[in-house]
Amino acid sequence: MLRVLKEIFIAIPIGMFTVLKQMFHKPVTLNYPFVKEPMMPRYRGLHFLERYDSDGSERCVCCGLCAASCPADAIYMEPAETERGERYAKIYEINELRCIFCGFCEEACPEEAIFLGREYEFAADHRDKFIYTKDDLLVKWPRTKPSEVKFLRPLRRVDWQQEQHPH
Ligand code: SF4
Ligand code: SF4
């Protein structure tokens, strides 16, 4: 009996008070996907392959340095040559399920061809859909949006001298 009375006169009012208090608090969650939290500037998301602004040609020369530097063995490519003898990637694939988004591929690339962008919404309903092909990775031409590279480049280039000898 005493336990029932305690619940009616103490526990329930405390619970109601807690609910009412929370109703006037700012919510800690977001109404995703309608509202999105801005990502940190150095966030590394889905990869993209860049093109030259001058003529839209592919920057990647299929040198293989990105694949060699990848600790997750997530990059596969096959080279080919154009009629003018220019090397390019006939096949270029990234397994986004293997990728740990370390950014080593971007750092290793001598052509500034591969970047990790800020896209994080690439959920899929089948494992095969996480193998991103060149068609998926190469930025559209003509561009449908401004290149992200000007924004990303200064953020990702670490000044090692400054880091090791700050003063
Ligand atoms: S993305 Fe860069 S590092 Fe990778 S194969 Fe192409 S040019 Fe070489
Ligand atoms: S971000 Fe890292 S793990 Fe992912 S493909 Fe590039 S090097 Fe490999």
Side-chain angles (χ1 to χ4, degrees):
M1 181 67 182
L2 188 64
R3 195 173 65 84
V4 174
L5 286 174
K6 257 180 159 178
E7 272 183 15
I8 292 172
F9 293 106
I10 300 176
I12 293 176
I14 288 175
M16 294 300 288
F17 175 72
T18 307
V19 170
L20 280 171
K21 204 171 67 175
Q22 292 304 322
M23 279 172 70
F24 298 102
H25 273 190
K26 192 170 173 267
V28 291
T29 51
L30 290 177
N31 189 18
Y32 181 85
F34 306 107
V35 181
K36 291 174 190 173
E37 187 76 38
M39 302 311 290
M40 289 290 116
R42 292 181 72 176
Y43 175 81
R44 294 190 291 258
L46 189 63
H47 304 75
F48 63 90
L49 285 170
E50 249 306 343
R51 294 176 183 273
Y52 283 105
D53 267 327
S54 51
D55 59 358
S57 57
E58 297 166 23
R59 294 188 75 108
C60 175
V61 292
C62 203
C63 66
L65 286 175
C66 52
S69 67
C70 177
D73 198 16
I75 305 178
Y76 175 78
M77 69 191 72
E78 282 181 21
E81 278 191 7
T82 64
E83 283 172 5
R84 291 190 299 174
E86 289 164 346
R87 194 179 152 99
Y88 71 99
K90 183 175 65 175
I91 297 174
Y92 190 102
E93 291 175 354
I94 300 183
N95 183 338
E96 299 290 352
L97 281 182
R98 292 189 68 103
C99 175
I100 55 170
F101 298 90
C102 62
F104 286 0
C105 50
E106 181 184 306
E107 279 183 43
C109 181
E111 299 291 329
E112 292 197 318
I114 183 137
F115 285 89
L116 282 86
R118 284 173 293 166
E119 179 61 56
Y120 58 88
E121 292 174 305
F122 52 99
D125 57 3
H126 197 278
R127 295 179 69 83
D128 289 354
K129 292 181 184 166
F130 289 97
I131 311 287
Y132 276 66
T133 64
K134 201 173 121 179
D135 279 349
D136 303 319
L137 297 165
L138 201 59
V139 296
K140 300 281 170 278
W141 189 263
R143 292 185 192 278
T144 51
K145 55 182 182 180
S147 170
E148 281 186 73
V149 172
K150 282 194 185 72
F151 168 81
L152 293 174
R153 192 185 286 127
L155 290 169
R156 301 274 171 80
R157 292 283 173 264
V158 179
D159 187 340
W160 296 110
Q161 272 204 331
Q162 178 66 20
E163 279 225 332
Q164 282 161 17
H165 312 285
H167 303 296

